[in-house]
Amino acid sequence: MNECSNTVGSDVLLYSYHRSFNGFAAKLTKDEAAKLRGKDGVVSVFLSQRKQLHTSRSWDFMGFNRKVKRSVIESDIIVGMLDTGIWPESQSFNDTGFGPIPRKWRGTCQSSTNFTCNNKIIGARYYRANGDYSPYDYRSPRDSEGHGTHTSSTAAGGLVSKASLYGLAKGTARGGVPSARIAVYKICWYDGCYDEDILAAFDDAIADGVDIISLSVGSIFWSDYFDDTIAIGAFHSMKNGILTSNSAGNSGPSPSSITNFSPWSLSVAASTIDRKFVTKVKLGNGVTYEGTSINTFDLKGKMYPFIAGAAAPNTSQSYTSEDSRYCGPGTLDETLVKGKIVFCDYDSNADGPVEAGAIGAVFQSGRHKDYAFAYGLPLSNLNLDDGRIVFDYVNTTENPTATIFKTNVEDNQFAPFVVSFSSRGPNPVTADILKPDLTAPGVDILAAWSEALPLTETEEDTRVVSYNIISGTSMSCPHATGAAAYVKSFHPTWSPAAIKSALMTTAFPMSSENNIEAEFAYGAGHINPALAARPGLIYDAGEIDYVKFLCGQGYSPKQIKLITESNTKCSEVMNEAVWDLNYSSFALSTTPGDSVTRVFHRTVTNVGSPVSTYKAVVNAPPGLIIQVQPSVLSFKSLGQKQSFTVTIGAQLGNSMVSGSLIWDDGVHQVRSPVVAYASLLE
């Protein structure tokens, strides 16, 4: 058991959460859980589940360069990272030049023989209620997986020049707020991240005094708001003035695959930046084909014998060519494959070719090629068209040969677009709240890495690196975290909703040309950190607004009272419709084939010029009607609020239609997406 303040030593009681919210984690039978669920004062009892990790140049790509204006209090901002821990020796976390720890910090550092904090990493804790450690785990906040080190350096790592992965993506690695402090909460291990540990970390992070919480973790399947520990923790963070930044999930592009979608947290999709990794394959006939991978091996152009996996079945283990064509572990005959490049009809982790002694591998598959992986040997992933040609070559040529080149970095002229794996909306619980909120870079991101593990999971791979290139909404989430911390450094009193609004309304607009799911892929658009610190207007909301939302969502008065720990009843706050939450996007749904008209009520707060006049600019394609009343908002002071209504009408088949509302004063353009769609949730 760890030594956190919310941990108790009982064999049955795992955690008692009492610092920021009330609850406990315990080992119960089904009957005991059922009895407890029926007792007065118990809002919910649910089974602990295991959650997954949602797994340089990106800041420059967003126009957020090193010379961007910085707040004098950035070094007082504390970013709470709930992840796999951190590798404290990384240059990204060097504390040279840092002043003393901010006075507001109330946390601790669980130091050990292999881990100490400094003035950059000011706090660190670890959580493992079940006490089950693997031989590869560190019983400390030290990172044995790499993921937490990567996300921490992306959000708040310092400037490290000449960082690269064996020369790939070489440049200055840096986080969004390089001078901010980092507090580490290690909740994830070799087998995932467990609910009871996640809640314990939230409880501590809130009490410790962090400013922003970053969590690149989520379920495979969505849950209702208060059956989801991340939503519960984020709600209590919001109550305490802390925005939680969440990864949307890596189950895209299926609709409603998003798993982190609570309205009080920031849900971040993953998109590309303006570079891509290309790995070329040259055949003995002189023709070259372009595939994808992150190949750091250099065969120096030497041609090697080329064989199809289907021609090398491991018959001694009763495998046939129908097995070996996919090059799975154990399916290939080592005597036929060793020292050769092998052609495989599937995109796998390459363990089979490595195990058989292949010098390299060429994969063909129909899977998306908009992100790349590193492998334990030279490898290139080809699309099906090129793969078919190469397959014909290797099967019809006498003594076929090939070579695989080291990966090249090329321009991606279509960026940014949301990557295929990024989870999509619509919101599976509240159809009339648009999710995800926005998108940020999450593809082929270079950042710090743990030196406790090899570059790939291939057993023979012994390469250890200090910086790695990986992809996931896990990588986009800390970009948004860093941007939120940047905004917080200029506006330390802003609420989580205000910061979130600033990020959403200043986002770069994106087009459905590259993403057919449109706003269900990218939300309000691509994050624009430099502009987010001066949004002009904000859509603010506090705890009472979310209580109204929960009332409208259908939670009982008893649940609302117990969730919020207040005596507020739905009848007292008016049971408002969920779409009247003061959100900086607009979504309305109806059943397929129906028309729909809805009136939205919104209030904006002036944070731009003291005296200003904003005019409503509506962009509505055919099939969508957007009317704003009043269409002009005049302000005479900072902090002044103005309310308005938006009437939206749409005729829908089985599709969606989207537009936007922009409040424009000639200096600020405060943009909100407007989405109408046919929903099966109605």
Side-chain angles (χ1 to χ4, degrees):
M1 300 292 285
N2 63 44
E3 299 172 356
C4 295
S5 61
N6 54 20
T7 303
V8 294
S10 167
D11 290 337
V12 175
L13 185 62
L14 301 176
Y15 290 113
S16 178
Y17 312 116
H18 56 81
R19 304 183 72 186
S20 306
F21 46 87
N22 293 318
F24 63 88
K27 298 176 182 178
L28 302 174
T29 66
K30 289 184 178 180
D31 289 342
E32 290 170 337
K35 289 179 181 178
L36 184 61
R37 190 176 287 113
K39 289 184 177 294
D40 290 339
V42 176
V43 61
S44 63
V45 177
F46 53 90
L47 182 67
S48 173
Q49 296 179 339
R50 183 178 64 182
K51 290 179 167 57
Q52 297 179 323
L53 296 162
H54 282 159
T55 269
S56 83
R57 178 170 167 72
S58 52
W59 292 108
D60 287 326
F61 172 67
M62 295 184 284
F64 194 65
N65 60 41
R66 283 188 282 175
K67 295 181 180 179
V68 71
K69 182 181 178 181
R70 294 284 175 181
S71 166
V72 295
I73 67 165
E74 183 176 298
S75 64
D76 288 334
I77 298 296
I78 304 169
V79 180
M81 303 297 303
L82 278 61
D83 213 298
T84 65
I86 200 166
W87 191 259
E89 292 83 8
S90 171
Q91 282 301 305
S92 289
F93 312 121
N94 189 310
D95 68 347
T96 300
F98 276 78
I101 294 172
R103 292 183 179 180
K104 65 183 179 181
W105 175 245
R106 300 182 295 275
T108 188
C109 182
Q110 282 183 284
S111 58
S112 64
T113 56
N114 69 11
F115 190 94
T116 55
C117 294
N118 59 18
N119 283 343
K120 175 67 173 179
I121 305 172
I122 63 172
R125 304 173 186 261
Y126 67 101
Y127 306 82
R128 188 65 165 169
N130 67 17
D132 180 18
Y133 297 91
S134 87
Y136 306 103
D137 283 333
Y138 293 108
R139 298 193 185 193
S140 79
R142 181 175 289 277
D143 182 8
S144 60
E145 301 294 318
H147 191 275
T149 301
H150 200 280
T151 56
S152 295
S153 63
T154 299
L159 277 65
V160 180
S161 62
K162 299 180 181 179
S164 73
L165 175 62
Y166 289 102
L168 293 177
K170 189 174 183 179
T172 299
R174 60 189 171 94
V177 278
S179 63
R181 316 301 177 113
I182 296 172
V184 177
Y185 301 85
K186 182 176 177 179
I187 56 169
C188 299
W189 304 79
Y190 75 97
D191 59 346
C193 325
Y194 287 89
D195 280 338
E196 63 268 27
D197 298 326
I198 293 172
L199 273 180
F202 264 112
D203 198 26
D204 283 336
I206 294 167
D208 288 348
V210 304
D211 293 291
I212 303 289
I213 289 176
S214 188
L215 187 57
S216 292
V217 171
S219 301
I220 300 175
F221 306 106
W222 60 266
S223 300
D224 205 348
Y225 297 120
F226 287 99
D227 286 332
D228 178 9
T229 53
I230 295 175
I232 293 169
F235 185 89
H236 289 277
S237 299
M238 174 275 299
K239 284 180 59 177
N240 287 273
I242 304 165
L243 175 64
T244 299
S245 176
N246 283 150
S247 48
N250 295 337
S251 299
S254 301
S256 291
S257 52
I258 187 169
T259 56
N260 288 322
F261 47 79
S262 63
W264 43 83
S265 63
L266 180 67
S267 305
V268 188
S271 47
T272 58
I273 60 174
D274 58 344
R275 70 177 177 203
K276 60 182 178 179
F277 294 93
V278 175
T279 304
K280 295 180 180 179
V281 177
K282 184 178 180 180
L283 305 182
N285 61 11
V287 181
T288 299
Y289 298 91
E290 290 188 352
T292 60
S293 71
I294 299 174
N295 177 37
T296 67
F297 299 101
D298 189 356
L299 298 181
K300 301 185 183 301
K302 181 180 177 180
M303 304 300 290
Y304 288 87
F306 196 17
I307 188 172
N314 184 0
T315 55
S316 66
Q317 297 297 318
S318 300
Y319 288 111
T320 69
S321 60
E322 281 302 307
D323 303 310
S324 63
R325 61 181 289 200
Y326 301 117
C327 301
T331 64
L332 296 169
D333 186 332
E334 182 178 343
T335 59
L336 295 175
V337 171
K338 189 172 184 178
K340 299 178 182 179
I341 293 175
V342 62
F343 181 90
C344 307
D345 279 332
Y346 189 64
D347 178 359
S348 69
N349 59 11
D351 283 350
V354 171
E355 180 185 90
I359 199 72
V362 177
F363 288 166
Q364 71 158 352
S365 77
R367 295 176 62 179
H368 293 281
K369 303 292 192 297
D370 48 5
Y371 57 101
F373 288 111
Y375 298 88
L377 80 173
L379 187 149
S380 181
N381 286 293
L382 301 181
N383 62 37
L384 290 177
D385 290 336
D386 289 343
R388 191 174 299 111
I389 298 172
V390 175
F391 178 75
D392 288 341
Y393 167 81
V394 74
N395 282 292
T396 60
T397 304
E398 187 175 355
N399 300 320
T401 58
T403 192
I404 301 169
F405 293 98
K406 186 176 180 180
T407 293
N408 286 328
V409 180
E410 297 184 0
D411 291 338
N412 187 346
Q413 61 182 341
F414 298 108
F417 61 88
V418 177
V419 68
S420 56
F421 62 71
S422 184
S423 291
R424 266 58 169 180
N427 188 323
V429 170
T430 309
D432 297 310
I433 295 291
L434 179 65
K435 287 288 179 169
D437 293 311
L438 44 72
T439 188
V443 179
D444 301 335
I445 303 299
L446 177 77
W449 195 247
S450 169
E451 297 183 32
L453 71 165
L455 178 58
T456 69
E457 295 181 358
T458 302
E459 188 172 337
E460 289 81 0
D461 192 354
T462 60
R463 294 172 296 168
V464 174
V465 298
S466 54
Y467 287 83
N468 196 6
I469 299 169
I470 58 176
S471 301
T473 54
S474 282
M475 285 61 256
S476 59
C477 172
H479 279 94
T481 302
Y486 178 73
V487 175
K488 180 84 171 181
S489 72
F490 285 96
H491 308 285
T493 63
W494 277 13
S495 71
I499 295 172
K500 181 176 168 182
S501 171
L503 294 171
M504 291 175 64
T505 60
T506 59
F508 293 109
M510 295 180 70
S511 169
S512 59
E513 291 182 7
N514 291 332
N515 287 109
I516 59 173
E517 305 91 356
E519 282 80 5
F520 293 144
Y522 48 71
H526 192 283
I527 198 167
N528 182 359
L531 193 58
R534 48 184 192 281
L537 303 175
I538 54 172
Y539 293 79
D540 206 355
E543 179 186 354
I544 190 64
D545 300 290
Y546 295 112
V547 171
K548 293 178 182 179
F549 165 84
L550 291 169
C551 289
Q553 186 70 30
Y555 286 93
S556 70
K558 172 187 171 183
Q559 288 176 310
I560 299 298
K561 177 182 177 181
L562 292 166
I563 290 166
T564 62
E565 298 177 2
S566 71
N567 291 318
T568 304
K569 297 179 180 179
C570 288
S571 58
E572 295 173 349
V573 299
M574 295 180 295
N575 191 354
E576 291 188 355
V578 293
W579 56 80
D580 274 338
L581 177 64
N582 201 37
Y583 219 72
S584 47
S585 61
F586 299 84
L588 66 159
S589 62
T590 189
T591 52
D594 287 349
S595 60
V596 60
T597 300
R598 189 165 295 153
V599 178
F600 295 78
H601 298 83
R602 292 291 190 270
T603 299
V604 288
T605 305
N606 181 26
V607 296
S609 306
V611 179
S612 54
T613 300
Y614 287 82
K615 296 181 179 179
V617 179
V618 169
N619 296 308
L624 185 66
I625 299 172
I626 305 173
Q627 297 176 331
V628 184
Q629 184 63 36
S631 60
V632 177
L633 301 178
S634 295
F635 297 92
K636 297 181 180 179
S637 63
L638 291 175
Q640 184 180 354
K641 299 179 183 292
Q642 294 278 15
S643 297
F644 61 94
T645 61
V646 181
T647 303
I648 301 171
Q651 178 70 46
L652 297 169
N654 292 308
S655 60
M656 66 177 290
V657 59
S658 61
S660 65
L661 164 63
I662 302 172
W663 288 107
D664 191 337
D665 70 343
V667 177
H668 308 92
Q669 288 76 45
V670 187
R671 182 181 177 276
S672 294
V674 177
V675 177
Y677 70 103
S679 171
L680 299 178
L681 299 178
E682 288 288 326

